[in-house]
């Protein structure tokens, strides 16, 4: 499957041997900043491709706000009437609307489907194909394909990748007011950064800018495991890229015996390298550890610039209903904790036996919801394990993070909410989740307070919005300390050292070695004022605050004040 952005690239891709192409219209696709097609030109595009016996897939794979829903549906209707072969979607609301038509629907990689549960849920919902998340290796892909039935699977085989899980990155949204989930990512991850351990610099350069992945040597294994499509990334690339990359992959798919050595010839590798100025690497598909993942290059050391919280407060509406999320239970003094709290969120990774007394103490403050992680197949959590955790810690509910988590609703006896990663942006998505059994939904950063209120007029659903803290901005299957895509068990992340990343923006770095993840939080905290007719719950996400600091913030918001100064206050309506 080849990427195309205009007629010239369409012709080039087909002539080079693509079996199918994927493209975007001017709006509602994950590459809105490239050329793309006018929606009314689709008929001629599809006619040309079909005359060559090729398929055309339309990407409508961004989040759709309530005010845009009608227009997005019209886009889809025009494409269906023009004869498009399938539509790639991320938004649950758009999916539920289009599922009433006969058009095949493909779950975008933006949905971060990364395990068999997610594939099974997608099949049950009615998706015809799933584009698997780009963090998995060939063994994990094989395990998923062996369990999948009555649904096609697709994976990326070549091109530029996001350093973070697709659909889970908010760096551009928060820092550039330009959201990746809305198709307008400005790639702040590509800037120069310096990584610090405490006050000592340890790496400098383009530490978050991946090289292009090439997985051509995995073609036999992926074909043998029944993948319906091998996808080449690159809707912003030039004609030379389309011609050479598609042509090379066409050759090897047609003649798999040439790949017996698992290596390309020097000349063929040079052809691919010439199309990738940032360099080539084997990516996450490899089973072996990849220590050549990012461009890096090196740069002058970027100085640290820690932010001082001076607690200068401005006035806003009073926060009446409060939910809190704690990232570090060792800092919580339950006895002196602020009491006007209606819900407490704890991530799956902090619920450990050593914290049981603290957790049971918190239960006397408010109901506890356990936040599910973004799962990778080999680190999946069994139903039995979840049942044990819920029982042992008296957990009241689960907050779901991934489409695969929807399968838990029928199997566990507790309440359910969704994290902002479910991207609830329109009432069709709200109704879809309500029917699934969700009673509470966290709204994404892409919505402003007024847009949140547009969804909050349904009394049967509890909506919440993050107004303060250090929310997770990006999760990546990559260790910034060891510079590898797999944990090498160096032990550095288990020490009491503090890791920070400085460049155009500053980040607090957390390593989760259990899942080979690096998570970046903003050093400059978010602080959003409360508005009249706000959502039911306001969420405060605490990472490294002490109990007195937590109490100070919650008391201030409850009295009608929010912190200003060195805080990010202009978030939403992206």
């Amino acid at each position: 499957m080849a990427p195309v952005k205009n007629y010239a690239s369409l012709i080039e891709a087909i002539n080079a041997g693509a079996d199918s192409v994927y493209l975007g219209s001017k709006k509602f696709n994950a590459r809105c900043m490239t050329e793309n097609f006018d929606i009314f030109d689709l008929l001629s595009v599809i006619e040309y491709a079909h005359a060559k016996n090729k398929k055309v897939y339309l990407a409508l794979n961004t989040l759709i706000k309530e005010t845009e829903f009608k227009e997005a549906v019209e886009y889809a209707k025009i494409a269906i009437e023009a004869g498009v072969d399938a539509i790639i979607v991320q938004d649950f609301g758009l999916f539920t609307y289009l599922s009433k038509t006969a058009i095949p629907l493909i779950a975008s990689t933006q949905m971060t489907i990364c395990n068999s549960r997610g594939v099974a849920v997608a099949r049950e919902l009615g998706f015809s194909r799933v584009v698997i998340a780009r963090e998995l290796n060939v063994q994990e892909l094989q395990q998923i394909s062996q369990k999948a039935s009555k649904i096609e699977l697709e994976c990326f085989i070549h091109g530029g990748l996001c350093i973070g899980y697709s659909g889970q990155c908010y760096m551009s949204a928060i820092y550039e007011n330009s959201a990746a989930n809305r198709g307008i990512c400005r790639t702040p991850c590509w800037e120069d950064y310096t990584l610090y351990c405490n006050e000592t610099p340890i790496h400098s350069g383009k530490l978050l800018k991946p090289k292009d992945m090439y997985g051509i040597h995995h073609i036999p294994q992926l074909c043998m495991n029944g993948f319906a499509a091998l996808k080449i990334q690159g809707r912003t690339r030039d004609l030379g890229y389309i011609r050479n990359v598609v042509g090379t992959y066409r050759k090897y798919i047609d003649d798999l015996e040439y790949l017996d050595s698992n290596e390309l010839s020097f000349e063929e590798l040079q052809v691919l390298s010439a199309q990738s100025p940032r360099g080539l690497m084997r990516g996450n598909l490899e089973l072996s550890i990849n220590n050549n993942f990012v461009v890096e290059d090196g740069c002058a050391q970027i100085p640290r610039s820690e932010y001082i919280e001076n607690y200068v407060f401005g006035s806003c509406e009073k926060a009446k209903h409060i939910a809190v999320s704690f990232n570090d239970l060792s800092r919580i003094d339950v006895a002196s904790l602020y009491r006007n709290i209606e819900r407490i969120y704890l991530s799956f990774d902090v619920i450990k036996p050593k914290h049981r007394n603290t957790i049971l103490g918190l239960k006397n403050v408010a109901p506890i919801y356990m936040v599910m992680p973004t799962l990778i197949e080999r680190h999946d959590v069994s139903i039995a394990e979840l049942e044990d955790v819920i029982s042992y810690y008296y957990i009241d509910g689960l907050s779901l993070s991934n489409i695969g988590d929807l399968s838990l609703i029928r199997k566990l006896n507790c309440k359910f909410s969704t994290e902002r990663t479910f991207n609830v942006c329109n009432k069709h998505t709200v109704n879809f989740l309500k029917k699934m059994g969700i009673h509470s939904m966290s709204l994404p950063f892409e919505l402003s307070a007024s847009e949140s209120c547009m969804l909050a007029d349904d009394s049967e659903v509890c909506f919440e919005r993050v107004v303060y803290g250090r929310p997770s901005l990006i999760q990546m299957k990559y260790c910034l300390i060891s510079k590898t895509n797999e944990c090498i068990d160096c032990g550095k992340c288990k020490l009491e050292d503090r890791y920070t990343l400085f460049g155009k923006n500053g980040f607090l770095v957390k390593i989760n070695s259990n899942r080979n993840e690096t998570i970046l939080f903003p050093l400059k905290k978010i602080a959003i004022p409360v508005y009249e007719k706000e959502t039911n719950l306001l969420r405060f996400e605490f990472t490294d605050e002490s109990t007195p600091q937590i109490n100070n913030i919650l008391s201030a918001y409850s009295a009608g004040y929010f912190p200003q100064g060195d805080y990010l206050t202009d978030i939403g309506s992206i």
Side-chain angles (χ1 to χ4, degrees), residues 214-395:
Y214 76 104
I216 198 165
H217 43 290
H218 291 301
I219 288 174
Q221 192 171 354
L222 293 171
C223 290
M224 185 175 16
N225 283 290
F227 275 79
L230 305 179
K231 191 170 195 172
I232 294 170
Q233 185 274 351
R235 281 195 284 143
T236 63
R237 304 296 182 96
D238 60 21
L239 294 181
Y241 176 92
I242 301 297
R243 180 188 316 116
N244 289 291
V245 173
V246 174
T248 301
Y249 277 78
R250 175 79 274 161
K251 170 188 173 182
Y252 279 97
I253 290 173
D254 288 346
D255 230 331
L256 294 180
E257 64 185 53
Y258 280 106
L259 284 176
D260 285 345
S261 66
N262 285 334
E263 294 293 341
L264 298 176
S265 70
F266 176 79
E267 292 77 14
E268 290 161 336
L269 188 56
Q270 288 297 104
V271 169
L272 293 181
S273 296
Q275 309 306 319
S276 299
R278 71 184 81 158
L280 287 174
M281 53 91 171
R282 295 290 184 96
N284 284 316
L285 287 172
E286 281 294 295
L287 292 175
S288 58
I289 293 172
N290 187 337
N291 58 4
N292 188 34
F293 204 86
V294 299
V295 174
E296 193 158 353
D297 280 340
C299 70
Q301 178 185 320
I302 299 169
R304 297 167 70 251
S305 54
E306 295 279 3
Y307 301 104
I308 300 173
E309 296 177 29
N310 50 20
Y311 292 103
V312 175
F313 290 97
S315 61
C316 64
E317 298 293 325
K318 293 182 180 180
K320 297 179 180 178
H321 305 285
I322 291 173
V324 298
S325 171
F326 296 130
N327 189 263
D328 185 356
L329 289 180
S330 65
R331 302 175 67 87
I332 304 300
D333 177 6
V334 177
S336 63
L337 182 66
Y338 183 84
R339 280 308 195 257
N340 187 23
I341 296 172
E342 296 195 19
R343 186 181 300 174
I344 295 172
Y345 290 99
L346 302 177
S347 76
F348 179 84
D349 294 313
V350 304
I351 298 180
K352 300 181 183 300
K354 66 179 181 179
H355 295 312
R356 187 168 188 260
N357 288 338
T358 301
I359 294 169
L360 295 182
L362 289 172
K363 259 200 68 74
N364 294 324
V365 177
I368 293 178
Y369 280 61
M370 181 169 68
V371 179
M372 294 296 292
T374 303
L375 301 177
I376 298 298
E377 177 71 14
R378 79 188 101 148
H379 305 294
D380 211 345
V381 184
S382 69
I383 299 297
E385 184 178 354
L386 287 172
E387 288 176 333
D388 288 343
V389 171
I390 290 170
S391 174
Y392 186 67
Y393 296 95
Y394 299 98
I395 300 297

Side-chain angles (χ1 to χ4, degrees), residues 63-309:
L63 307 183
I64 313 297
K65 295 186 179 184
E66 181 67 20
T67 54
E68 303 167 330
F69 199 85
K70 183 177 179 181
E71 183 182 4
V73 168
E74 289 302 314
Y75 267 59
K77 286 180 177 177
I78 292 170
I80 293 170
E81 291 171 2
V84 73
D85 294 284
I87 297 178
I88 307 167
V89 296
Q90 175 191 15
D91 187 271
F92 282 111
L94 185 61
F95 162 75
T96 54
Y97 188 94
L98 295 180
S99 63
K100 301 170 187 175
T101 70
I103 190 70
L105 298 173
I106 300 174
S108 171
T109 192
Q110 297 295 113
M111 297 184 85
T112 327
I113 296 178
C114 51
N115 55 38
S116 297
R117 279 187 196 157
V119 172
V121 171
R123 183 196 66 236
E124 292 170 11
L125 292 175
F127 282 100
S128 62
R129 179 185 293 183
V130 169
V131 187
I132 301 294
R134 297 179 285 191
E135 286 70 41
L136 306 184
N137 61 43
V138 288
Q139 188 175 76
E140 291 165 332
L141 292 173
Q142 180 180 2
Q143 291 168 353
I144 291 175
S145 68
Q146 288 172 347
K147 297 177 183 178
S149 65
K150 299 181 181 178
I151 189 168
E152 293 182 344
L153 300 180
E154 175 183 315
C155 70
F156 280 85
I157 193 73
H158 188 97
L161 303 178
C162 298
I163 189 73
Y165 297 150
S166 303
Q168 306 293 327
C169 180
Y170 297 93
M171 284 180 67
S172 183
I174 296 299
Y175 286 118
E176 305 285 345
N177 205 39
S178 187
N181 273 324
R182 301 273 291 156
I184 46 176
C185 179
R186 298 194 181 276
T187 59
C189 53
W190 287 14
E191 304 282 346
D192 288 331
Y193 290 98
T194 295
L195 177 67
Y196 284 82
C197 176
N198 301 320
E199 297 182 3
T200 303
I202 55 176
H203 304 310
S204 289
K206 298 193 182 301
L207 306 181
L208 302 175
K209 184 176 182 179
K211 297 179 180 180
D212 280 355
M213 176 189 75
Y214 76 104
I216 198 165
H217 43 290
H218 291 301
I219 288 174
Q221 192 171 354
L222 293 171
C223 290
M224 185 175 16
N225 283 290
F227 275 79
L230 305 179
K231 191 170 195 172
I232 294 170
Q233 185 274 351
R235 281 195 284 143
T236 63
R237 304 296 182 96
D238 60 21
L239 294 181
Y241 176 92
I242 301 297
R243 180 188 316 116
N244 289 291
V245 173
V246 174
T248 301
Y249 277 78
R250 175 79 274 161
K251 170 188 173 182
Y252 279 97
I253 290 173
D254 288 346
D255 230 331
L256 294 180
E257 64 185 53
Y258 280 106
L259 284 176
D260 285 345
S261 66
N262 285 334
E263 294 293 341
L264 298 176
S265 70
F266 176 79
E267 292 77 14
E268 290 161 336
L269 188 56
Q270 288 297 104
V271 169
L272 293 181
S273 296
Q275 309 306 319
S276 299
R278 71 184 81 158
L280 287 174
M281 53 91 171
R282 295 290 184 96
N284 284 316
L285 287 172
E286 281 294 295
L287 292 175
S288 58
I289 293 172
N290 187 337
N291 58 4
N292 188 34
F293 204 86
V294 299
V295 174
E296 193 158 353
D297 280 340
C299 70
Q301 178 185 320
I302 299 169
R304 297 167 70 251
S305 54
E306 295 279 3
Y307 301 104
I308 300 173
E309 296 177 29

